[in-house]
């Protein structure tokens, strides 16, 4: 037989449990933390144009060798995004930031990353008669090593680089425009320059004057046809503006450093 005191104790325990169960969440001392992992899948919708890497003109080792990547060292980004990237409209084919307009002309809008040199090579393999790059809206490079590889590839292919009316070429993309065997720009074309920054946030000014990274840029400018003194002046001009800012130059400003056609 259950004693009256045991019954009372049981009722008190049940009442206490009910109070705890319906107490406000903030008054309880137990917490549950839920974590969710989201996996993003990207689908390349470039009108069915898939890049066949086996058709690329140069393999990764050759591209890296051409660019002098070992000497280049720590500089990794030269990028100046805009609020909205220009669209290129209808095109025969797309290869990364490049849109093939016809047999001789490709338009460029978008940034350069590690895949861009191979996309460029695949484009030339598929359209060997391309002679001209119209640089519509080019914010620069997310991978500066790839950007210098691409600049040399443009030069080696003998392509003309053009900034059309309303066009904007910024940051690392300025090197791509300089790489043209022939260069031209509309009167209202803009050229945005600033310092590069490495993966640790260090800028050109943070590296010693004799660091090989500086020689890499100066050597590139001389390869693109700048006189040695002009190359030093242009490199100093770009690095006088911090990475997180942009200094805009005009067509006439650029004509002080290189010949325009």
């Amino acid at each position: 037989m259950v004693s009256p005191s045991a019954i009372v104790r049981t009722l008190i325990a049940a009442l206490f449990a009910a109070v705890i169960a319906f107490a406000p969440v903030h008054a309880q001392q137990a917490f549950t933390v839920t974590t969710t992992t989201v996996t993003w899948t990207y689908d390349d919708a470039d009108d069915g144009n898939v890049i066949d890497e086996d058709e690329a003109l140069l393999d990764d080792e050759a591209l890296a060798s051409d660019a002098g990547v070992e000497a280049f060292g720590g500089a990794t980004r030269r990028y100046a995004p805009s609020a909205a990237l220009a669209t290129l409209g209808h095109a025969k084919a797309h290869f990364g930031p490049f849109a093939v307009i016809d047999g001789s002309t490709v338009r460029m809008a978008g940034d350069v990353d590690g895949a861009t040199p191979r996309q460029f090579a695949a484009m030339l393999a598929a359209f060997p008669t391309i002679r001209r790059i119209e640089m519509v809206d080019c914010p620069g490079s997310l991978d500066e090593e790839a950007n210098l590889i691409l600049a040399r590839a443009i030069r080696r292919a003998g392509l003309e680089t053009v900034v059309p009316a309303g066009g904007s070429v910024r940051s690392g993309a300025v090197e791509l425009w300089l790489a043209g065997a022939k260069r031209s720009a509309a009167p209202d074309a803009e050229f945005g320059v600033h310092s590069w920054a490495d993966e640790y946030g260090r800028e050109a000014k943070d590296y010693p004057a004799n660091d090989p990274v500086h020689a890499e840029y100066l050597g590139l400018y001389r390869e693109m046809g700048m006189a040695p003194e002009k190359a030093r002046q242009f490199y100093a001009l770009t690095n006088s503006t911090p990475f997180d800012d942009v200094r805009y130059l005009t067509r006439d400003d650029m004509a002080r450093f290189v010949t325009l056609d």
Side-chain angles (χ1 to χ4, degrees), residues 5-235:
S5 62
I7 294 174
V8 171
R9 285 196 300 271
T10 300
L11 291 175
I12 291 174
L15 180 61
F16 183 74
V19 170
I20 291 296
F22 290 97
V25 173
H26 67 267
Q28 299 182 35
Q29 297 302 311
F31 297 90
T32 300
V33 178
T34 302
T35 59
T36 302
T37 301
V38 179
T39 301
W40 296 95
T41 301
Y42 294 93
D43 184 20
D44 187 357
D46 281 347
D47 298 334
N49 294 288
V50 178
I51 297 171
D52 184 352
E53 293 194 356
D54 291 335
E55 294 184 2
L57 299 184
L58 298 171
D59 61 26
D60 290 338
E61 290 182 4
L63 288 170
S65 176
D66 284 352
V69 170
E70 291 183 1
F72 180 69
T76 57
R77 297 172 296 148
R78 212 170 193 183
Y79 189 65
S82 60
L85 192 66
T87 57
L88 297 177
H90 178 73
K92 295 169 66 70
H94 293 269
F95 296 84
F98 301 105
V100 179
I101 305 305
D102 55 42
S104 63
T105 303
V106 58
R107 291 183 185 145
M108 183 177 183
D111 49 53
V112 173
D113 60 23
T116 310
R118 185 170 292 282
Q119 292 165 339
F120 176 80
M123 179 182 69
L124 292 188
F127 297 90
T129 59
I130 287 174
R131 295 291 178 267
R132 170 187 173 100
I133 302 177
E134 293 183 355
M135 304 181 72
V136 179
D137 188 358
C138 304
S141 67
L142 300 176
D143 185 328
E144 189 71 338
E145 293 175 0
N147 197 64
L148 299 190
I149 290 170
L150 180 59
R152 288 184 166 94
I154 290 172
R155 188 71 170 188
R156 185 166 49 243
L159 302 186
E160 176 186 5
T161 51
V162 179
V163 184
S168 177
V169 173
R170 306 180 296 282
S171 196
V174 174
E175 273 85 29
L176 304 182
W177 177 79
L178 289 171
K182 295 175 61 178
R183 314 174 196 89
S184 61
D188 65 343
E190 66 175 18
F191 298 84
V193 299
H194 63 173
S195 174
W196 51 262
D198 69 12
E199 59 187 335
Y200 305 106
R202 295 174 301 190
E203 302 184 10
K205 63 181 176 56
D206 299 317
Y207 279 72
N210 62 349
D211 193 282
V213 68
H214 303 307
E216 174 67 13
Y217 277 105
L218 294 173
L220 177 77
Y221 295 149
R222 290 195 295 270
E223 288 177 43
M224 304 312 160
M226 278 191 191
E229 183 58 30
K230 294 290 186 182
R232 287 190 291 271
Q233 291 173 0
F234 184 72
Y235 187 58

